[in-house]
């Protein structure tokens, strides 16, 4: 059984930064692509960033240039560094494990991910 646990959320002023972490159980962590999603109140869950050892990284247009996804295989952890935060970034952020490598057109499809964390709240105040 795979468990994903997010941490690092909180409240930050507009223009500030946060780093989210997602700790994963399991010895095969490095073999699977990982993604970060977010869901704002009243909105659909959307893909934010993706990382894979074979495919590299992908980002949504709304966060490109501000967010960076990375992973530390020795710690079984994936990170999301978020800079220049604004009110539109306010949401619950989830990490998820993809069942297979994805490409630029499919990495943000929620149904391609088989394990999800419980989410961590990020609130950006103006």
């Amino acid at each position: 059984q795979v468990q994903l646990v997010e941490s690092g959320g909180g409240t930050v002023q507009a223009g500030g930064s946060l780093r989210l972490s997602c700790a994963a159980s399991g010895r095969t962590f490095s073999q699977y692509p990982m993604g970060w999603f977010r869901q704002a109140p009243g909105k659909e869950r959307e893909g934010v960033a993706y990382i894979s050892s074979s495919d590299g990284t992908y980002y949504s247009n709304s966060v490109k240039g501000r967010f960076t996804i990375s992973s530390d295989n020795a710690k079984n952890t994936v990170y999301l560094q978020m800079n220049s935060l604004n009110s539109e970034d306010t949401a619950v952020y989830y990490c998820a494990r993809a069942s297979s490598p994805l490409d630029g057109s499919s990495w943000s499809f929620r149904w391609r991910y088989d394990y999800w964390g419980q989410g961590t709240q990020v609130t950006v105040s103006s």
Side-chain angles (χ1 to χ4, degrees), residues 88-119:
E88 295 184 351
D89 298 316
T90 294
V92 178
Y93 283 72
Y94 300 88
C95 68
R97 193 194 80 170
S99 55
S100 61
L102 305 173
D103 59 25
S105 63
S106 63
W107 71 268
S108 62
F109 295 166
R110 299 190 302 273
W111 54 90
R112 300 300 298 269
Y113 294 78
D114 51 4
Y115 291 97
W116 293 81
Q118 82 289 349

Side-chain angles (χ1 to χ4, degrees), residues 18-65:
L18 279 176
R19 189 178 80 155
L20 305 183
S21 300
C22 173
S25 63
R27 292 177 292 178
T28 59
F29 170 78
S30 62
Q31 298 179 15
Y32 292 92
M34 298 291 292
W36 282 98
F37 289 74
R38 67 186 181 185
Q39 187 166 18
K43 294 188 176 181
E44 294 284 322
R45 190 172 299 188
E46 62 172 355
V48 174
Y50 165 94
I51 188 167
S52 164
S53 59
S54 60
D55 308 306
T57 58
Y58 297 112
Y59 297 92
S60 68
N61 288 335
S62 62
V63 307
K64 196 174 296 183

